[in-house]
Every structure is written in structure tokens, then in C-alpha cells.
């Protein structure tokens, strides 16, 4: 970051509307120096303050130019600093030549005072640039005839009317300003000299705007960055316009923001809180400033919230032994994709893994078994919120069990085992097309009717398998889901839900696919036939059939595979059924739940079944040791919960391309959505079943629903959740808001073997970025929860800056930023 000394000089403010003359040093041909400097007068407004005069003599015959100190006009006396060459401004000439009545030479102007010339604020060039004025002459002193300036840029009234001048603007470099110790490029000066004139003289002044025409205070800080709670000492030196010290001046100190830093009467600064503050020193009409950056003072594991736009520029301290930080920008906008550039200045590379090294585990995830093709279910949920939602008003007008409400294909009452029903499995044209399959009742439980498609492939589930499925649903799926989300509706009057195992689900997976559709619920079936003629008009979901020979599209689905995945799928789809039915007919919501939240809750249902089967509960920070304590726990984990870890892993691998509450509902969104809901339930505390119940039994949707249940804006919680995914269980001991109380993700991922997969030496595959010093790290964060993790180090005793920009400016509040101290 720039030093304070640099900051106060480049940030000088305009003190007067009229130009101030900078002292002209003698031409290159001259060698004398006059260091005389009268006492400093009191500053006062004035018309061009002429700071020096130089009298030059040109010898035409010898083609030479010599200069000496000139006289000042009476109007300038009393408030002018007089000095010699090379003291304030340096005028240098070259290429002196006389040809055909014209004496010419090239002249550059150099600035030797500690203020920029040709600007009033140190940054914006003045239109007049730097002007060199002929205050008198040229006058012939030897010989005869008139001598005149042949190529002046103009004439004006400075000390008299009609004075010619040369204007230096484009010669002042790319910024159009003549900085201290900078020389302009050369400009050709020409004089018309008759043959009878041998020697002539002229007097020059230099006139230019400067930021502090009445002088300034040079503020010297001890440091330009200070840790919050730390101190810095500033000193001020009162100077004239040309930088000479004015002794005996009393300085008053002030701060632009006492909540960031305070300053006492001696220039002692106390850093209060992170931010940027301007400290001002004042002595009469003179002033100077220093900019102090107050950095977060974080212990290892500490987290600083730097929400935008205020946090777009911040500093980081290295402390006594150096430090490592991870900055986490998160896009919490529901709609806007944001392109970001994050630039670290003064950062150093970091080494070592940010996560534990992969260790031998006691469990291994079956390769690809978690890759359920859940995009099909997402499309149905989107169709629920579109086409199906428009039918809600007419659906509510129909009686629960009237003839028009129940399709005759579903047998009224509780059917007997072996009974047949004709069920519509078509999903593309929701209310206009039939794809009728015949289902046979295979088992009847207390809360479920299990049916199988009569056209299912041979060698599938046996009667005992179906009975076991019904028993599992009655024993723990139904009680767990109902206790947390509420009871299902009963539009078909049979007191049960239908689980239809049909090859129609298998047909949804194309040949050669590594994923599969495990089952689905379609809200169409909750609508009466009068509202949707193709509806089955009852509570039902569709399940994957066993296909040991791969009859359907060549995809083998063994009996063991189906029985190991089916109960978790039922818990998932049952939540969708409860959610849709209660919004339709119990809570009178205006529409269905947003996809990300509905799917997140369905994945929570799978997790809750895991807790029930494993004899465990949320909030225990479960790691690989607890899961491995018994085979029953491991079986429960891989049967009901590991798929959630597989989905979350997709987000960890690419957090900057996916968000936890996006509507695309891919695996990464589902994983992050589930993990965020788990985090929110744990952070809110209280009775968790009431938390889940409130989310399902709401008339609001999405983030508005979550906010109503949490009683606070969920977006800061989502921001904190992204930090928790980095800081929790990493040996950092962060604050509670940055922990994940229910799961030790790092430990469990260390015991899982997702292969084949990206080459990674770490078990916890959260993708991080490693920006280089001074190089912008550019990336785009999609809406709805995408995040990036940027690791950087700061050397011992040093400070670094971190600038976040979007389109060249500070991002809006849709970007939430956290900084975690890692080491």
C-alpha cells in the first residue's frame, strides 16, 4: 500500500483559484546559485504570485545564452520568495542557433519543489499547464533594431499587458502534470533578431497552478496501516509553497471517522475498528492529510466480515510471525451473476494444504452409487411451480372424495394384495397425455400400499422384498417424516400412500448412463381429475424397479441395489408429497415451494432417517470414528446419508460455479442446499422438528419462507455458512457462527474414497484459489450462493491490501465477504 507521506502529497487540495508562480531556475548555460530566502510572510490571497525572476542575455554572434538573477516588479515585493537557479524550478536550454535572422533554442522546464505543478489537486491537469512568461524584453543592449518573440503560444496580462508566453501542456507527460523532480520535454523558442542586433536581454517568470498555493503541512506517519486496537504516531511539518519549513507553527489534528480511528492533540492515532480514515493536520490556512488503513486484528481462527461496498478495500497484517488468510466472497443475489476481480498487494505465496491430508479410512463409498440423476425430479418441481401451480384454485374447489375428484383407476378404500390398478406414469404432457401401466398390489402396510408394474423385468423384487419395504416405510420413514414435516393429505381416502415400482422409472435413464433415476413424486397426482384429467388423484410416488438383466435400456439394476437405495428415496419423495399436499390443501399457500428449498428439505428427510437408523442425533459433530463404532451406523450412513455427502462434494469441488439456493437444482446446489439447511437448523437451536415443520407449513416460499422461520435475514447466515465450510474442524477454533455442529465433514471425507475423481492429496476437497501478488484474480460468481476461497499470506511485520472490484468499481451489497485467519 502507498505510504502516508505519498498519500498526503498526492492528495493535496486546491487552496486558491488563481495560478501561483513557481520559481524559475536559470538556464543550463548559467552556473551561479543564489540561496537567499527572505522570512516567510503570512499567507494571503493574491494575483499571480511571482516567485522568481531570471534575467537572460543572448549573444547572437556567439550563439550563447547566459542568465542571472532578475529584478521583481514592485507589485510582487513583500510576499515573494527569491532564490537562485536549481532551487525551485530548472529551465534548461540546448541547441542554440542563429540562422537567417532567427535565434532559436530548445527549452525544458523542471520542477524542484515538493508540489506538482500544473494541477490544483495533484491528479487533474490544469488546462493552462505550466507557462513561461516574458515579463520584460526582449530588449537590444548591443546593436540596433527591434527583437521579438517569434513563436510565442500567446500573450496575456501578468505583470503588464501583452506579455508573450510559452505554454507547456502536452510536454508534461502522459498525466499532463509536472511532478517533483520531473522535467518536461523540450519546446522550441524562436526570436526574430535583425542583423544589427548583437546582444539582447529578457526577463522570465514561470506561472503554474499548485495544489497548496499558500503552503501546506507535510504529514509524516509512523505507518500507513495499523491493526485495530493499535497505535500510530503522526508528525506534521508546516511548509511554504516551495516546501521550506515554517517554524513555530501550532498544529491541530482531526479525524474523518472517530469510529475507525481517533487522534489526540499530538498526532497520536488510536485504531478503533477496521476501515479507512483520513487524519487532518491544520495550521491556519495550511493543511495536510494522512490516510490510515485500520486492519482487522484477528487471532488464528478469527473471521472478519467485510460486506460490500464498504469492504471492497481492506488491509491484512502479518503480525510478528507472518499470517495466512482466506478471503471468501459470496454472491447472495437471487438473480444477478457478478464478475469479480480480487487483487492482493503485498501478499506472499502460501504453502501446505489448507485441509487435512487424506488418511486411511475405515469406510469406502461405492463408486458412482450416489450419482442419482436428480435433474428429472428438479424438472418436475419446476413444473409444479409453473403449470401445476396454475391449477391450484380449481383443485381447491373440488371435494376431497367426490366422484369428480378421484380417478376410478385407484380402487377406493384399502385394496387387497393382488388387486390391480391402472395408473398413469406419463410426465411430459402433465394433464393431457396418458401412459397407463397396470400395477399389482404387492404389500399393504399401515401407511403404505406397495405396488409393482406387471410389465417389470423378470427376476426383480420378491413378495418378501416388497413386504420388507412396506415395513420399513411404516416403521421409520413415515414416523420420521410426519414428525418433522407434518402428516400427508389423503385425497384418495385410503389412509395410505402408494409406492409404485415401475419400469417407467427405469426408462427415464438413457443407455450407458452412470447415473440413475431412483424415483419421483409428481404433484399432478394430488389434483382432482376435473383440474387435471390425467391425474391419478391420490398420494403416490414412483419407484425404480429391479432389472438384474438390464432389460430396460441395458442398465442393470440388481435386487440388492434397489433394496439398498429404495427406502432413502421413499423418505425423500415422501417429503415432496407432504410439502405439496399441505401447501395445496392444508395451509392454502399461493403456490408450491421453490425448488432449492423443497429439494433441500427432501435431503434433510434422508438425513433424519439416517439419525433414526443409526441411533444418533444432530449436533454431535459426527466424524469417521463415531460412524465406524458399529457396522449398523456405517450401514445407515451409506444407505441414507452418504449421498448427501456426495452432492456436497460436487459443490466443494467448484464452489465458485454453483450456489446453494439456485433454481437449476443440480447435484452441487442440492448438496450445498442441504448442508445450509442443516447449518441453519443447528444455529437457530430449539426443537428441530418444529423448525422443519414451520418451513413445510408456510404460505411463503424460498428465502422469504426461511427468513420468516429464522426470524432474521438468512443471507448473512448463508455467508457465515460458507466460512464454516472452510473453518470448521480445521484446528482453528472459530466462533460458533462459523462451525457446523452436526458433522465433522473433514473427518468423514477423509474416510471416503471418491474415485475416480480429480487428483487431490487432500481428503476435504474444497477448491481454493491462490492469487499472485499484484495480479487480479478474475472469476464470475453465479447468483444464489456461489462462493470463492482465496488464500494469501502476509510476511512478518508487513501489511497487505486486498481490493475487490466488479466492473472497475466496488461491488454492491449482493457480494458478502469474509476473511478468515488461517495461520
Amino acid at each position: 500500500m502507498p505510504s502516508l507521506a505519498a498519500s498526503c502529497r498526492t492528495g493535496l487540495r486546491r487552496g486558491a483559484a488563481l495560478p501561483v508562480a513557481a520559481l524559475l531556475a536559470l538556464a543550463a548555460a548559467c552556473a551561479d546559485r543564489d540561496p537567499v530566502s527572505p522570512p516567510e510572510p503570512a499567507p494571503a490571497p493574491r494575483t499571480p504570485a511571482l516567485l522568481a525572476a531570471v534575467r537572460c542575455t543572448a549573444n547572437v554572434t556567439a550563439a550563447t545564452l547566459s542568465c542571472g538573477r532578475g529584478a521583481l516588479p514592485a507589485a510582487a515585493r513583500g510576499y515573494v520568495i527569491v532564490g537562485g537557479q536549481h532551487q525551485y524550478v530548472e529551465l534548461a536550454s540546448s541547441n542554440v542557433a542563429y540562422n537567417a535572422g532567427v535565434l532559436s533554442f530548445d527549452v525544458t522546464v523542471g520542477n524542484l519543489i515538493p508540489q506538482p505543478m500544473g494541477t490544483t489537486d495533484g491528479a487533474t491537469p490544469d488546462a493552462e499547464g505550466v507557462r513561461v512568461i516574458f515579463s520584460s524584453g526582449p530588449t537590444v543592449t548591443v546593436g540596433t533594431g527591434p527583437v521579438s518573440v517569434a513563436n510565442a503560444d500567446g500573450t496575456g496580462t501578468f505583470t503588464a499587458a501583452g506579455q508573450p508566453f510559452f505554454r507547456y501542456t502536452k510536454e508534461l507527460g502522459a498525466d499532463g502534470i509536472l511532478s517533483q523532480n520531473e522535467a518536461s520535454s523540450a519546446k522550441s523558442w524562436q526570436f526574430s533578431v535583425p542583423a544589427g542586433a548583437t546582444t539582447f536581454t529578457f526577463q522570465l517568470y514561470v506561472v503554474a497552478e499548485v495544489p497548496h498555493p499558500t503552503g501546506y503541512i507535510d504529514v509524516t506517519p509512523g505507518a500507513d496501516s495499523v491493526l485495530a486496537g493499535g497505535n500510530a504516531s503522526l508528525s506534521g511539518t508546516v511548509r511554504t509553497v516551495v516546501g521550506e519549513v515554517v517554524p513555530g507553527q501550532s498544529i491541530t489534528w482531526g479525524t474523518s471517522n472517530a469510529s475507525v480511528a481517533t487522534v489526540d492533540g499530538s498526532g497520536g492515532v488510536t485504531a478503533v475498528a477496521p476501515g479507512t480514515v483520513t487524519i487532518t493536520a491544520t495550521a491556519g490556512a495550511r493543511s495536510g492529510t494522512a490516510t490510515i488503513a485500520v486492519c482487522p486484528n484477528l487471532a488464528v481462527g478469527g473471521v472478519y466480515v467485510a460486506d460490500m461496498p464498504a469492504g471492497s478495500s481492506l488491509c491484512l497484517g502479518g503480525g510478528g510471525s507472518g499470517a495466512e488468510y482466506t478471503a471468501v466472497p459470496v454472491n447472495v443475489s437471487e438473480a444477478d451473476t457478478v464478475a469479480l476481480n480480487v487483487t492482493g498487494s503485498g501478499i506472499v505465496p502460501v504453502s501446505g494444504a489448507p485441509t487435512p491430508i487424506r488418511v486411511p479410512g475405515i469406510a469406502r463409498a461405492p463408486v458412482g452409487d450416489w450419482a442419482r440423476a436428480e435433474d428429472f425430479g428438479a424438472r418436475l418441481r419446476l413444473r409444479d411451480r409453473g403449470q401445476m401451480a396454475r391449477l391450484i384454485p380449481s383443485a381447491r374447489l373440488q371435494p376431497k372424495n367426490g366422484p369428480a375428484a378421484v380417478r376410478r383407476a385407484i380402487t377406493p378404500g384399502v385394496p387387497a394384495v393382488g388387486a390391480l390398478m391402472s395408473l398413469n406414469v406419463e410426465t411430459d404432457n402433465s394433464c393431457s397425455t396418458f401412459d397407463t401401466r397396470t400395477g399389482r398390489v404387492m404389500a399393504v402396510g399401515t401407511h403404505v400400499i406397495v405396488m409393482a408394474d406387471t410389465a417389470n423385468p423378470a427376476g426383480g423384487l420378491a413378495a418378501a422384498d416388497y413386504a420388507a419395504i412396506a415395513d420399513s416405510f411404516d416403521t421409520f420413514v413415515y414416523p420420521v417424516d410426519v414428525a418433522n414435516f407434518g402428516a400427508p393429505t389423503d385425497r384418495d381416502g385410503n389412509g395410505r400412500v402408494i409406492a409404485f415400482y415401475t419400469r417407467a422409472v427405469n426408462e427415464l435413464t438413457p443407455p450407458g448412463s452412470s447415473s440413475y433415476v431412483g424415483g419421483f413424486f409428481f404433484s399432478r397426482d394430488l389434483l382432482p381429475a376435473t383440474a387435471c384429467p390425467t391425474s391419478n388423484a391420490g398420494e403416490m410416488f414412483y419407484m425404480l424397479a429391479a432389472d438384474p438383466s438390464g432389460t430396460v435400456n441395458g442398465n442393470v439394476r440388481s435386487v440388492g441395489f434397489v433394496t439398498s437405495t429404495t427406502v432413502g428415496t421413499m423418505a425423500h419423495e415422501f417429503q415432496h408429497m407432504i410439502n405439496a399436499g399441505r401447501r395445496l390443501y392444508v395451509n392454502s399457500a399461493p403456490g408450491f415451494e421453490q425448488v432449492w428449498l423443497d429439494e433441500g428439505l427432501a435431503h434433510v428427510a434422508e438425513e433424519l432417517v439416517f439419525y433414526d437408523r443409526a441411533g444418533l442425533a444432530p449436533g454431535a459433530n459426527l466424524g469417521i470414528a463415531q460412524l465406524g463404532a458399529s457396522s449398523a451406523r456405517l450401514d445407515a450412513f451409506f444407505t441414507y446419508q452418504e449421498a448427501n455427502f456426495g452432492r456436497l462434494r460436487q459443490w466443494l469441488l467448484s464452489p465458485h460455479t454453483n450456489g446453494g439456493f439456485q433454481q437449476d437444482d443440480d447435484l452441487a446446489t442440492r448438496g450445498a442446499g442441504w448442508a445450509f439447511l442443516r447449518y441453519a437448523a443447528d444455529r437457530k437451536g430449539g426443537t428441530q422438528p418444529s423448525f422443519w415443520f414451520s418451513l413445510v407449513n408456510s404460505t411463503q416460499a424460498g428465502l422469504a419462507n426461511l427468513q420468516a422461520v429464522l426470524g432474521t435475514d438468512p443471507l448473512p447466515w448463508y455467508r457465515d455458512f460458507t466460512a464454516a465450510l472452510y473453518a470448521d474442524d480445521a484446528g482453528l477454533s472459530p466462533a460458533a457462527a462459523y462451525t457446523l455442529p452436526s458433522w465433522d465433514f473433514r473427518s468423514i471425507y477423509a474416510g471416503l474414497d471418491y474415485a475416480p475423481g480429480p487428483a487431490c492429496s487432500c481428503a476435504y476437497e474444497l477448491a481454493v484459489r491462490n492469487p499472485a501478488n499484484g495480479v487480479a484474480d478474475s472469476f464470475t460468481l453465479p447468483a444464489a450462493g456461489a462462493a470463492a476461497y482465496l488464500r494469501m499470506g502476509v510476511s512478518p511485520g508487513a501489511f497487505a491490501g486486498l481490493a475487490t472490484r466488479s466492473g472497475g468499481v466496488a461491488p454492491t451489497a449482493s457480494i458478502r465477504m469474509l476473511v478468515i485467519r488461517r495461520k
Side-chain angles (χ1 to χ4, degrees):
M1 302 181 68
S3 68
L4 285 180
S7 298
C8 72
R9 287 169 184 159
T10 57
L12 299 174
R13 299 189 303 276
R14 180 169 183 167
L18 294 171
V20 173
L23 181 65
L24 175 67
L26 300 183
C30 307
D32 60 300
R33 178 179 177 87
D34 183 356
V36 179
S37 180
E40 163 67 12
R46 55 199 185 270
T47 58
L50 308 177
L51 302 186
V54 174
R55 186 176 183 84
C56 297
T57 300
N59 188 310
V60 179
T61 303
T64 60
L65 182 67
S66 60
C67 298
R69 181 168 149 187
L72 291 167
R77 297 185 185 280
Y79 60 88
V80 174
I81 302 170
V82 178
Q85 65 171 344
H86 306 307
Q87 189 172 4
Y88 301 130
V89 176
E90 180 169 351
L91 206 69
S93 64
S94 60
N95 301 324
V96 182
Y98 180 72
N99 185 28
V102 175
L103 180 67
S104 64
F105 43 88
D106 297 329
V107 180
T108 62
V109 180
N111 176 15
L112 301 182
I113 68 171
Q115 291 199 67
M117 292 183 175
T119 179
T120 60
D121 59 11
T124 306
D126 180 61
E128 294 297 334
V130 176
R131 288 171 291 176
V132 182
I133 303 158
F134 286 78
S135 61
S136 64
T139 302
V140 174
T141 56
V142 177
T144 59
V147 177
S148 63
V149 181
N151 66 333
D153 290 324
T155 59
T157 300
F158 299 95
T159 56
Q163 293 173 315
F165 63 85
F166 288 100
R167 180 188 291 115
Y168 288 74
T169 53
K170 64 182 181 180
E171 293 83 9
L172 301 184
D175 62 356
I177 297 171
L178 195 62
S179 301
Q180 182 182 15
N181 297 323
E182 180 184 9
S184 71
S185 59
K187 177 185 282 284
S188 175
W189 291 18
Q190 298 177 7
F191 295 83
S192 296
V193 182
T198 302
T199 304
F200 63 90
T201 62
F202 53 88
Q203 183 164 285
L204 303 173
Y205 301 121
V206 172
V207 175
E209 292 278 10
V210 292
H212 274 187
T214 60
Y216 59 93
I217 300 177
D218 188 3
V219 180
T220 304
D224 61 354
S225 298
V226 184
L227 291 175
N231 302 101
S233 297
L234 303 180
S235 61
T237 303
V238 183
R239 298 184 182 277
T240 67
V241 64
V242 293
E244 294 181 337
V245 176
V246 182
Q249 301 293 302
S250 177
I251 296 176
T252 301
W253 297 90
T255 177
S256 64
N257 190 343
S259 65
V260 175
T262 61
V263 62
D264 62 23
S266 300
V269 176
T270 299
V272 178
T276 301
V277 64
T278 300
I279 305 298
T280 302
T282 304
R286 298 181 174 93
S287 66
T289 62
T291 300
I292 298 284
V294 179
C295 314
N297 194 355
L298 299 176
V300 173
V303 178
Y304 174 66
V305 177
D307 287 342
M308 303 300 155
S312 62
S313 296
L314 58 94
C315 60
L316 304 171
S321 57
E324 178 184 323
Y325 298 91
T326 298
V328 188
V330 188
N331 184 3
V332 297
S333 169
E334 289 192 77
D336 298 330
T337 295
V338 180
L340 289 181
N341 293 310
V342 181
T343 306
S345 57
I347 62 175
V348 296
V350 294
S351 60
T355 55
I357 301 300
R358 186 183 297 281
V359 297
I362 60 173
R364 289 294 182 266
V367 174
D369 279 1
W370 57 267
R372 210 158 61 198
E374 294 162 314
D375 55 341
F376 174 76
R379 291 197 298 271
L380 293 184
R381 301 290 79 76
L382 290 171
R383 196 172 301 168
D384 286 347
R385 289 183 55 81
Q387 180 183 2
M388 295 296 102
R390 292 193 292 271
L391 302 177
I392 290 177
S394 62
R396 288 176 178 155
L397 295 175
Q398 304 303 319
K400 177 179 177 181
N401 295 314
V406 181
R407 282 176 45 78
R408 60 182 180 275
I410 294 182
T411 304
V414 181
V417 172
L420 301 176
M421 297 183 195
S422 296
L423 302 173
N424 180 27
V425 300
E426 204 280 335
T427 57
D428 286 338
N429 299 300
S430 305
C431 291
S432 59
T433 304
F434 286 91
D435 182 359
T436 303
R437 308 290 174 98
T438 300
R440 175 178 286 113
V441 177
M442 304 302 295
V444 178
T446 305
H447 302 292
V448 66
I449 299 167
V450 181
M451 303 183 67
D453 191 332
T454 57
N456 278 348
L461 300 181
D465 295 320
Y466 290 118
I469 290 170
D471 182 67
S472 295
F473 185 87
D474 286 341
T475 302
F476 54 87
V477 173
Y478 185 91
V480 167
D481 276 19
V482 169
N484 287 277
F485 308 119
T489 55
D490 187 22
R491 302 301 292 176
D492 50 12
N494 59 21
R496 292 159 177 79
V497 301
I498 294 174
F500 184 30
Y501 285 77
T502 171
R503 63 178 290 152
V505 175
N506 301 57
E507 292 166 3
L508 296 170
T509 303
S513 176
S514 61
S515 61
Y516 69 98
V517 177
F520 64 89
F521 159 78
F522 195 8
S523 64
R524 171 201 64 189
D525 294 323
L526 295 180
L527 302 176
T530 51
C532 183
T534 63
S535 171
N536 288 309
E539 288 74 16
M540 65 176 297
F541 40 78
Y542 307 79
M543 301 297 296
L544 180 75
D547 184 6
S549 300
T551 303
V552 180
N553 294 334
N555 295 315
V556 173
R557 307 300 182 211
S558 69
V559 170
F561 174 73
V562 171
T563 56
S564 69
T565 61
T566 193
V567 179
T569 302
M570 292 174 76
H572 180 107
E573 302 303 333
F574 191 33
Q575 189 284 143
H576 287 317
M577 179 189 296
I578 294 170
N579 202 325
R582 296 186 72 84
R583 292 180 75 89
L584 268 170
Y585 299 117
V586 178
N587 303 308
S588 299
F592 295 103
E593 183 54 87
Q594 287 187 7
V595 175
W596 74 268
L597 183 50
D598 195 9
E599 292 295 350
L601 288 167
H603 293 307
V604 166
E606 299 174 55
E607 179 192 23
L608 295 175
V609 169
F610 155 76
Y611 285 128
D612 180 85
R613 293 295 83 199
L616 298 169
N621 199 37
L622 296 178
I624 198 69
Q626 293 95 322
L627 295 181
S630 71
S631 59
R633 288 182 180 179
L634 276 180
D635 289 344
F637 177 79
F638 281 111
T639 301
Y640 306 112
Q641 176 61 7
E642 186 273 332
N644 282 332
F645 274 68
R647 299 178 191 100
L648 177 59
R649 176 175 178 267
Q650 297 304 301
W651 189 86
L652 297 173
L653 289 170
S654 187
H656 68 285
T657 62
N658 298 282
F661 49 98
Q662 289 176 337
Q663 296 302 330
D664 60 4
D665 201 53
D666 58 13
L667 288 174
T669 297
R670 287 170 177 262
W674 158 71
F676 174 53
L677 290 178
R678 166 48 55 205
Y679 166 88
D682 292 342
R683 179 170 174 177
K684 180 174 173 56
T687 305
Q688 290 206 3
S690 65
F691 176 75
W692 307 122
F693 185 88
S694 297
L695 285 173
V696 171
N697 293 271
S698 172
T699 58
Q700 301 187 72
L703 291 174
N705 183 7
L706 187 56
Q707 178 164 340
V709 174
L710 292 177
T712 188
D713 184 357
L715 296 180
W717 282 34
Y718 186 89
R719 173 203 62 201
D720 297 346
F721 158 72
T722 63
L725 286 171
Y726 185 91
D728 187 50
D729 292 310
L732 303 180
S733 300
Y738 310 111
T739 64
L740 303 164
S742 288
W743 293 100
D744 182 349
F745 286 108
R746 295 173 181 272
S747 168
I748 293 177
Y749 279 111
L752 298 175
D753 187 10
Y754 291 109
C760 181
S761 62
C762 56
Y764 186 59
E765 296 171 281
L766 176 60
V768 296
R769 309 173 72 88
N770 294 279
N773 182 46
V775 179
D777 189 351
S778 301
F779 50 90
T780 298
L781 294 181
Y789 295 80
L790 297 94
R791 295 178 62 200
M792 60 201 74
V794 185
S795 297
F799 289 91
L802 190 65
T804 305
R805 301 290 183 267
S806 179
V809 299
T812 65
S814 64
I815 297 297
R816 308 292 175 93
M817 172 83 88
L818 301 106
V819 178
I820 307 163
R821 183 167 180 182
R822 181 70 177 83
K823 295 179 181 177

